[in-house]
Amino acid sequence: YFAHALQEQIQFPVRVLDTDPVSVEECQRKGLEACCEDALKAQPKGDEAVVCFNMILHHLVGDTEEATRALQMKALTLWRDANIKIFVNEYIYESYIPSLSGRLIYEITKNKLLSTLGLAIAKFAPSMRANTFGVGVRFRSHDEWRNLFTDAGFRISGIIFGDNETISIPRRGLLIKSIRKDSFVLEPV
C-alpha cells in the first residue's frame, strides 16, 4: 500500500523488495515492480534514487542486542555503500527510564518463556498482544535510532516527528512514556 501510494504521488517507478511472496504478488497485481528479497542481502541495481525502510528495521533481530544492532546496521550499509539516500519510517518508543521500554519488549518477545507468559497476559489485557512473541522485535527511542544511523555512516538530513499514539494502562507497565512513528532522511557520509 505504501509503495503504490508513493508511485501514484511521485510519478516515478517504485520497486518493492519483500520476503513475503503474498505481498510481492499483491504489489505486482497493483502494477508495481516487486520481487522476493531479503533486506540483509539486497543488491542495489544502480538505478535507485531513494531506498525506503518503512517499518522494517525493528523486525531485524538477533539473539543479542549487539547482534540485533549489527543486523539493522547491515541492512542500511548495503545502500550506504551504493551512495544512495535512505528514507526510514520507524516506531519510536520513549521510556520514563531512557531506552528501557524498547529493550524490555525485545527481551520479552525474543525469549520463549517470557513470550509464553506474554501470550497468557494478553488474554486478559488485549492491548498487550504482539505478533512477535517468540520471534523478537526491537523498537528504539528517537536517540537510539539517530545513534544507529550515525554509526552506520549516515548523516540525518531530515526528520519528521510523528504524532503520539495512545498508550493503554497495561502497556504503561513497560514504562512506555510515548509511542510514535518518526521519519528520517539519511545521506551517506
Side-chain angles (χ1 to χ4, degrees):
Y1 297 104
F2 173 77
H4 186 259
L6 183 63
Q7 184 164 293
E8 293 292 311
Q9 286 185 6
I10 65 171
Q11 301 298 309
F12 286 100
V14 173
R15 181 181 311 120
V16 175
L17 308 178
D18 200 309
T19 56
D20 177 33
V22 175
S23 295
V24 168
E25 288 176 23
E26 182 63 27
C27 287
Q28 291 169 343
R29 274 195 292 278
K30 290 183 179 288
L32 295 166
E33 180 183 346
C35 60
C36 283
E37 194 159 351
D38 186 330
L40 297 170
K41 298 175 185 172
Q43 297 292 316
K45 294 186 185 231
D47 62 350
E48 300 90 352
V50 177
V51 173
C52 299
F53 284 89
N54 187 33
M55 309 305 252
I56 300 298
L57 295 175
H58 66 267
H59 287 291
L60 301 177
V61 295
D63 291 335
T64 65
E65 172 62 20
E66 294 75 23
T68 296
R69 197 169 194 280
L71 290 173
Q72 292 170 342
M73 288 180 63
K74 180 180 179 182
L76 294 167
T77 58
L78 289 170
W79 301 99
R80 181 205 63 212
D81 297 343
N83 200 32
I84 296 170
K85 288 183 182 181
I86 298 178
F87 169 81
V88 176
N89 185 39
E90 260 306 337
Y91 276 112
I92 305 297
Y93 273 65
E94 299 295 355
S95 306
Y96 288 103
I97 299 171
S99 306
L100 181 64
S101 299
R103 183 63 185 260
L104 280 174
I105 293 166
Y106 166 70
E107 295 297 340
I108 292 166
T109 58
K110 79 174 182 79
N111 181 287
K112 301 292 184 199
L113 180 61
L114 294 175
S115 288
T116 302
L117 181 60
L119 283 167
I121 291 169
K123 289 180 182 178
F124 302 100
S127 67
M128 298 296 280
R129 281 189 212 140
N131 63 357
T132 55
F133 281 136
V135 178
V137 66
R138 184 56 167 103
F139 301 120
R140 298 185 181 280
S141 69
H142 183 85
D143 287 343
E144 284 179 292
W145 283 120
R146 287 179 64 108
N147 291 338
L148 187 139
F149 301 149
T150 301
D151 291 349
F154 291 92
R155 75 175 184 85
I156 301 168
S157 61
I159 299 173
I160 297 173
F161 294 88
D163 295 331
N164 285 327
E165 298 179 7
T166 302
I167 304 168
S168 68
I169 292 171
R171 293 178 93 198
R172 289 199 182 271
L174 295 169
L175 302 178
I176 299 169
K177 184 177 183 180
S178 66
I179 301 172
R180 64 180 188 271
K181 297 176 191 108
D182 289 355
S183 297
F184 304 85
V185 176
L186 311 178
E187 295 186 39
V189 173

